[in-house]
Amino acid sequence: MASPPFDVDAFLAEPLTARVATNGPTVRPTWYLWEDGAFWILTGPWTKLLGRVRQDPAIAVVVDLCDLATGSVLQVIARGQAEVIPFDVPRGRRKLSRYLGADESQWDSRFRHYLLDDPGERGTVWLRLRPSSLLAKDLSYAV
């Protein structure tokens, strides 16, 4: 991959929403964690996403920003084969605190349950995408 036009790691560290596309096609918004060169997406049997990925692990992920006030338009498009990985609480805490803040007592109880419930009973897992291709575009314009 050629040198990206902006700091992809810093961009993906922001609490943005990703859209995950699976075979079908279907697209769904999701929170994610960008860590160790991979997207980590919390999921489980309560979603159709996990079943779709188990049927066909080829996915695409898009994270973008369009700020009309500043003219900032940034995109990251990743593709590859998703893996189902056992859930771990420390990574779950890092992911959720990006979106909900550091004070877990202020989180909606359903988010705390991801960290407190037995992932084996609940079926909580990670989808990990180590992109086989990653494209970063800066389409920003002057306001």
Side-chain angles (χ1 to χ4, degrees), residues 58-73:
I59 67 171
V61 173
V62 174
V63 180
D64 62 344
L65 170 73
C66 180
D67 186 334
L68 300 177
T70 66
S72 180
V73 180

Side-chain angles (χ1 to χ4, degrees), residues 15-67:
L16 300 168
T17 299
R19 280 160 290 289
V20 179
T22 60
N23 193 359
T26 64
V27 178
R28 52 192 43 81
T30 186
W31 290 349
Y32 67 92
L33 179 65
W34 173 253
E35 189 172 84
D36 300 327
F39 288 92
W40 296 83
I41 298 165
L42 190 152
T43 192
W46 59 88
T47 69
K48 291 182 181 179
L49 177 60
L50 180 58
R52 288 188 174 275
V53 167
R54 284 189 165 142
Q55 287 178 342
D56 183 351
I59 67 171
V61 173
V62 174
V63 180
D64 62 344
L65 170 73
C66 180
D67 186 334

Side-chain angles (χ1 to χ4, degrees), residues 85-114:
I85 305 290
F87 180 77
D88 65 284
V89 171
R91 182 171 280 116
R93 184 168 278 118
R94 289 192 300 275
K95 178 207 174 221
L96 292 171
S97 66
R98 291 181 60 214
Y99 294 94
L100 302 170
D103 186 354
E104 292 176 30
S105 69
Q106 298 298 309
W107 296 2
D108 183 290
S109 63
R110 64 188 153 162
F111 298 113
R112 285 194 305 268
H113 284 292
Y114 289 123

